[in-house]
């Protein structure tokens, strides 16, 4: 597994164009969502009574908030805006994947032209695949959420509630990860002209090595994230700000490394 991870790391470090696109995509999405949520939350916090007023004022604040959310359509414009943002993300993500996979499949060609050609050529199948993946990802929630809520309703404190809900949440996350890998290999098969079924067959045949490679890259990414958080907390000041501001590009590099590593495993076993 380590050889595929090393090959993926080499490819990721050399793909500056793809690294910039992933960074711009992640940063742009995060910034847009942050600014919108901030524009909603900050005015509400300004209205919060705070510690200088009585407890009854704070209770009145929460009762008013509950009434506004449950008895009026105050939340509707915000919900529609957030839904629109997620729909835009759902349209952009498969297009970005089509371009990235095409660049990896045609590494000797200029990255910009290859990326644009991949988006143009494979936009339709990748959009359809992403729609199918989204349906398969959220379908189990129709079964899991009611049972998780039923299990949580019998809990008597927060730790017991977390332990009751955790198996459902962890199972869904593992299922989501398996879906991501399966559709990634379907995408590899499409951009190389072998077809999505060939990619799915490779995934089924080499599921264990694929899962181990994914676990390796995930563990490294998690370790980097935890180390970054620890450093920013330990060394407060300019260094912490510098690390915090540079982490998005590191996260984009780790994302590209994960995709490139899986592609090298695919290339060796197709």
């Amino acid at each position: 597994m380590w050889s595929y991870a090393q090959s993926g790391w080499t490819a990721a470090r050399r793909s500056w164009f793809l690294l910039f696109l992933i960074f711009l995509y992640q940063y742009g999405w995060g910034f847009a969502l942050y600014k919108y949520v901030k524009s909603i939350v900050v005015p509400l916090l300004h209205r919060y009574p705070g510690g200088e007023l009585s407890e009854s004022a704070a209770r009145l604040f929460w009762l008013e908030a509950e009434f506004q959310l449950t008895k009026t359509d105050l939340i509707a414009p915000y919900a529609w805006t957030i839904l629109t943002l997620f729909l835009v993300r759902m349209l952009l993500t498969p297009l970005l994947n089509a371009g990235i996979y095409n660049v990896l499949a045609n590494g000797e060609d200029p990255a910009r032209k290859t990326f644009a050609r991949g988006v143009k050529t494979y936009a339709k199948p990748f959009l359809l695949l992403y729609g199918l993946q989204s349906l398969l990802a959220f379908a189990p929630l129709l079964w899991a959420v009611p049972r998780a809520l039923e299990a949580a309703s019998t809990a008597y404190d927060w730790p017991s509630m977390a332990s009751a809900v955790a198996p459902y949440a962890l199972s869904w996350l593992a299922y989501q990860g398996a879906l991501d890998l399966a559709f990634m290999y379907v995408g590899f098969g499409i951009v190389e002209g072998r077809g999505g079924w060939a990619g799915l067959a490779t995934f089924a045949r080499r599921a264990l090595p694929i899962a181990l490679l994914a676990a390796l890259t995930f563990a490294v990414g998690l370790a980097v994230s935890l180390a970054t958080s620890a450093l920013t907390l330990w060394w407060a000041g300019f260094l912490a700000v510098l690390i915090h501001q540079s982490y998005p590009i590191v996260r984009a590099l780790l994302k590209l490394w994960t995709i490139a590593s899986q592609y090298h495993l695919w290339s060796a076993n197709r």
Side-chain angles (χ1 to χ4, degrees):
M1 294 303 99
W2 188 246
S3 61
Y4 299 124
Q6 287 181 317
S7 300
W9 178 254
T10 302
R13 286 191 298 108
R14 294 175 177 174
S15 303
W16 290 102
F17 177 72
L18 295 182
L19 180 60
F20 173 74
L21 284 179
I22 295 176
F23 164 75
L24 188 63
Y25 175 70
Q26 292 182 342
Y27 186 83
W29 164 253
F31 182 77
L33 190 60
Y34 165 76
K35 293 295 288 184
Y36 184 69
V37 172
K38 181 181 178 182
S39 68
I40 301 172
V41 173
V42 170
L44 291 177
L45 292 179
H46 286 165
R47 296 183 61 241
Y48 187 72
E52 65 276 5
L53 296 180
S54 63
E55 183 181 350
S56 60
R59 189 181 303 113
L60 180 62
F61 172 85
W62 290 114
L63 288 173
E64 179 189 359
E66 181 182 359
F67 177 82
Q68 293 287 346
L69 291 175
T70 58
K71 302 300 183 180
T72 70
D73 58 353
L74 177 68
I75 198 174
Y78 305 113
W80 281 111
T81 302
I82 293 178
L83 179 61
T84 302
L85 288 174
F86 276 98
L87 289 176
V88 171
R89 181 181 173 88
M90 290 182 67
L91 290 175
L92 292 179
T93 298
L95 299 180
L96 182 69
N97 289 340
I100 292 173
Y101 295 176
N102 197 51
V103 171
L104 292 175
N106 301 274
E108 301 301 324
D109 298 336
R112 294 182 182 181
K113 293 182 179 179
T114 307
F115 180 86
R117 185 169 64 248
V119 173
K120 182 179 180 180
T121 305
Y122 304 112
K124 184 176 180 179
F126 270 72
L127 285 169
L128 292 175
L129 283 175
Y130 195 77
L132 177 61
Q133 180 182 350
S134 299
L135 288 176
L136 292 176
F138 289 103
L141 294 181
L142 298 176
W143 175 87
V145 169
R147 286 161 177 79
L149 293 177
E150 182 180 357
S153 64
T154 61
Y156 53 86
D157 57 12
W158 286 108
S160 60
M161 181 181 298
S163 63
V165 174
Y168 296 97
L170 293 176
S171 298
W172 184 77
L173 289 175
Y175 170 72
Q176 177 81 0
L179 272 183
D180 287 340
L181 291 172
F183 278 89
M184 182 184 294
Y185 276 74
V186 171
F188 291 158
I190 290 175
V191 298
E192 290 204 349
R194 298 172 59 86
W197 289 111
L200 191 60
T202 301
F203 173 79
R205 188 174 65 252
R206 303 289 293 169
L208 181 58
I210 290 170
L212 290 176
L213 180 59
L216 173 63
T217 54
F218 175 78
V220 172
L222 180 62
V224 171
S225 177
L226 293 176
T228 301
S229 300
L231 284 173
T232 55
L233 291 174
W234 185 263
W235 287 335
F238 176 75
L239 182 60
V241 174
L242 183 63
I243 294 173
H244 179 74
Q245 293 298 325
S246 61
Y247 182 70
I249 194 69
V250 175
R251 186 175 59 183
L253 179 61
L254 292 173
K255 175 68 174 180
L256 183 56
W257 174 47
T258 300
I259 298 173
S261 299
Q262 292 291 344
Y263 179 78
H264 280 84
L265 193 156
W266 150 266
S267 298
N269 294 277
R270 57 190 173 187

